[in-house]
């Protein structure tokens, strides 16, 4: 599968009404439970800040959309 993002890209979860913007940190290796192979091209670790606290989570890249930044 083709990687959709690169480190530093700003993204949000598709359909998320809260509209939390996050930053892609890196792609991670994750074991695919059904087929048993290691997937290195579809799961990304993202970081965001809420109430001054750093939070992170792993998402499948298809659940995210890129946020356009104004320059």
């Amino acid at each position: 599968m083709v990687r959709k993002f690169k480190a530093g890209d700003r993204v949000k979860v598709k359909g998320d009404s809260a509209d939390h913007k996050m930053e892609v940190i890196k792609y991670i290796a994750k074991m695919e439970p059904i087929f048993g192979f290691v997937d290195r091209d579809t799961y990304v670790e993202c970081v965001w800040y809420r109430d001054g606290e750093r939070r992170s989570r792993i998402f499948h890249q298809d659940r995210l959309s890129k946020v356009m930044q104004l320059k």
Side-chain angles (χ1 to χ4, degrees):
M1 182 173 266
V2 176
R3 291 182 174 192
K4 295 181 179 182
F5 307 106
K6 63 182 190 285
D9 282 349
R10 303 283 292 172
V11 296
K12 69 175 190 166
V13 177
K14 291 179 183 177
D16 184 5
S17 62
D19 197 34
H20 292 108
K21 293 174 181 67
M22 303 175 286
E23 182 177 334
V24 173
I25 300 297
K26 63 183 175 181
Y27 275 83
I28 62 147
K30 188 169 181 178
M31 178 70 78
E32 189 64 43
I34 296 173
F35 301 109
F37 66 89
V38 177
D39 183 352
R40 290 179 169 78
D41 294 323
T42 55
Y43 292 94
V44 293
E45 181 179 5
C46 297
V47 65
W48 70 98
Y49 294 88
R50 185 183 304 159
D51 300 326
E53 184 178 329
R54 184 179 191 264
R55 298 174 185 225
S56 67
R57 185 171 168 193
I58 297 167
F59 295 93
H60 190 283
Q61 69 178 5
D62 290 344
R63 292 193 58 216
L64 302 172
S65 62
K66 197 168 187 177
V67 175
M68 302 307 282
Q69 295 182 353
L70 300 175
K71 293 185 178 187

